[in-house]
Amino acid sequence: MSAVTQSPLFGIALTVAAYSIGLWVNRRTGLSIANPNLIAIPLIILCLLLTGTPLADYQRGGEVINMLLGPATAALALSIYRQREVLRESFLPVLLGCLAGCCASVGSTLALCKVFGLDETITASLLPKSVTTPIAVELSAQRGGVAAITIVVVIFTGIAGAALAPGLLRLLGISDPMAQGVAIGTASHGIGTARALELGKVQGAMSGVAVGVAGIITVLLLTFL
Amino acid sequence: MSALRQLSLLFALYLLAVWVCGLLPFAFPASVLGMLLLLLLLLAGVVKPRQVERGADLLLQNMMLLFVPAGVSILEYFPLIRDKVPVLILIALVTLAVTLAATAFTVKAAAALLGKRREAKR
């Protein structure tokens, strides 16, 4: 068996298979809680534990997939470029909103990590929790965090944002579509954006723009502060 | 240009960013530098969207798949956070609410301020 599991193709095949199952469940149910990653990751862990396959064997293929993250993040430029018209129209409110949101996110996370006495590794893994996963993973690694913890927290934040943000914003008395969209995108990245699109076209577009702008602002914040 | 050629272009751009990051006097994520570089090239019109979009969309549409292996590594790091899960959930929820509020109120205030200024100009 180890000849099979030690081939890089094993990890690649398992990843693609588990992710397809996750994607299928997600489309069948249409629920943001049925996130493809949240299904695929436990599924793979279960497979490894049940068959006694070492994580290192799986990661021979996993690393190959992981390597594509760099160019994929660079490709995000295209999705930001596609939003340039929306961004041009309401540049200042979006920029200021994202700036305030990113400072609030990083600041409140840092403060709470201190309050609860979390160590530097976990704090570094949590700081970029509001931004889109590819950027969050890079920022976490840069500050000595653990990519796996960051990914789980970022996905959790996205799902929580998708579930709670519309109600929370209503509670705060925010009915302006632009403010709603920018807030959801800044606080809960792409997963929140999917929910923002359900609220309306403006909310969806603004949320999409905010994901890119908040990503760049958070990089600058965490690199130079 | 075929999707494969566009992909190799994106790979080359990323590797260029890795090289530049090595020259910087501070730590900066290479993938984000690659993103900023590509964004500048697109805005400047040096790179046309149709020259990269097929390769880029291939990566963007399957982006979440690419995080699965790193997520599986939680198996290795779970002992590190086992007894902190409730605290982590609490932090995630509180900071989510703070971020939402800070962003939404700032956008509202900025939009209102700009609106007033525009009216004053008329």
Side-chain angles (χ1 to χ4, degrees):
Chain A
M1 255 319 257
S2 68
V4 172
T5 59
Q6 282 179 7
S7 157
L9 200 56
F10 167 76
I12 297 176
L14 188 57
T15 306
V16 174
Y19 184 75
S20 320
I21 294 173
L23 209 56
W24 179 78
V25 174
N26 180 260
R27 287 193 180 143
R28 272 319 266 278
T29 58
L31 299 169
S32 50
I33 186 86
N35 177 278
N37 287 52
L38 227 47
I39 294 165
I41 293 168
L43 210 59
I44 294 170
I45 290 179
L46 205 66
C47 278
L48 297 180
L49 292 178
L50 286 179
T51 59
T53 308
L55 181 65
D57 280 12
Y58 165 76
Q59 288 299 7
R60 283 168 176 246
E63 276 161 17
V64 177
I65 293 182
N66 208 34
M67 260 188 304
L68 292 173
L69 259 183
T73 308
L76 279 179
L78 186 66
S79 45
I80 298 176
Y81 178 77
R82 284 176 176 151
Q83 310 274 13
R84 68 194 182 287
E85 293 302 326
V86 186
L87 188 58
R88 196 171 295 152
E89 271 167 35
S90 31
F91 184 71
L92 261 181
V94 172
L95 186 72
L96 293 175
C98 288
L99 188 64
C102 293
C103 291
S105 176
V106 171
S108 60
T109 307
L110 195 61
L112 285 175
C113 285
K114 281 246 165 72
V115 167
F116 288 106
L118 298 179
D119 61 43
E120 274 176 24
T121 310
I122 296 182
T123 304
S125 311
L126 295 191
L127 281 182
K129 59 174 274 294
S130 288
V131 301
T132 187
T133 324
I135 297 181
V137 168
E138 283 274 1
L139 288 175
S140 160
Q142 184 186 305
R143 297 180 76 96
V146 173
I149 298 176
T150 304
I151 287 172
V152 173
V153 175
V154 168
I155 294 175
F156 177 81
T157 302
I159 293 172
L164 306 173
L168 262 169
L169 289 170
R170 209 177 313 126
L171 217 67
L172 293 169
I174 302 287
S175 53
D176 174 43
M178 177 163 72
Q180 287 180 342
V182 178
I184 293 177
T186 304
S188 51
H189 54 93
I191 302 177
T193 301
R195 182 78 178 86
L197 275 163
E198 290 172 17
L199 297 181
K201 242 189 172 157
V202 180
Q203 285 92 329
M206 284 300 170
S207 182
V209 170
V211 173
V213 176
I216 295 174
I217 292 177
T218 307
V219 169
L220 298 178
L221 265 180
L222 289 181
T223 303
F224 298 110
L225 288 185
Chain B
M1 235 192 309
S2 74
L4 279 180
R5 272 173 61 191
Q6 297 190 355
L7 267 183
S8 56
L9 207 77
L10 287 167
F11 290 170
L13 180 96
Y14 171 67
L15 290 173
L16 175 74
V18 170
W19 179 69
V20 173
C21 275
L23 302 177
L24 292 177
F26 48 85
F28 196 84
S31 59
V32 177
L33 186 73
M35 179 184 87
L36 293 173
L37 206 63
L38 182 57
L39 186 61
L40 284 180
L41 290 172
L42 283 166
L43 289 173
V46 179
V47 173
K48 300 269 179 281
R50 61 177 165 75
Q51 291 173 313
V52 285
E53 63 192 354
R54 289 174 65 194
D57 282 335
L58 202 65
L59 291 171
L60 291 173
Q61 279 156 11
N62 299 298
M63 178 82 92
M64 292 311 285
L65 164 78
L66 307 181
F67 298 114
V68 172
V72 171
S73 292
I74 196 77
L75 188 58
E76 193 181 333
Y77 294 102
F78 190 65
L80 209 65
I81 54 165
R82 184 168 20 218
D83 41 348
K84 301 190 179 80
V85 172
V87 170
L88 294 183
I89 292 178
L90 181 75
I91 293 179
L93 291 179
V94 171
T95 55
L96 174 76
V98 171
T99 310
L100 275 172
T103 315
F105 285 121
T106 309
V107 174
K108 214 175 141 183
L113 223 71
L114 284 175
K116 255 187 210 157
R117 208 193 282 166
R118 255 176 226 152
E119 264 171 37
K121 267 185 192 165
R122 276 180 207 155

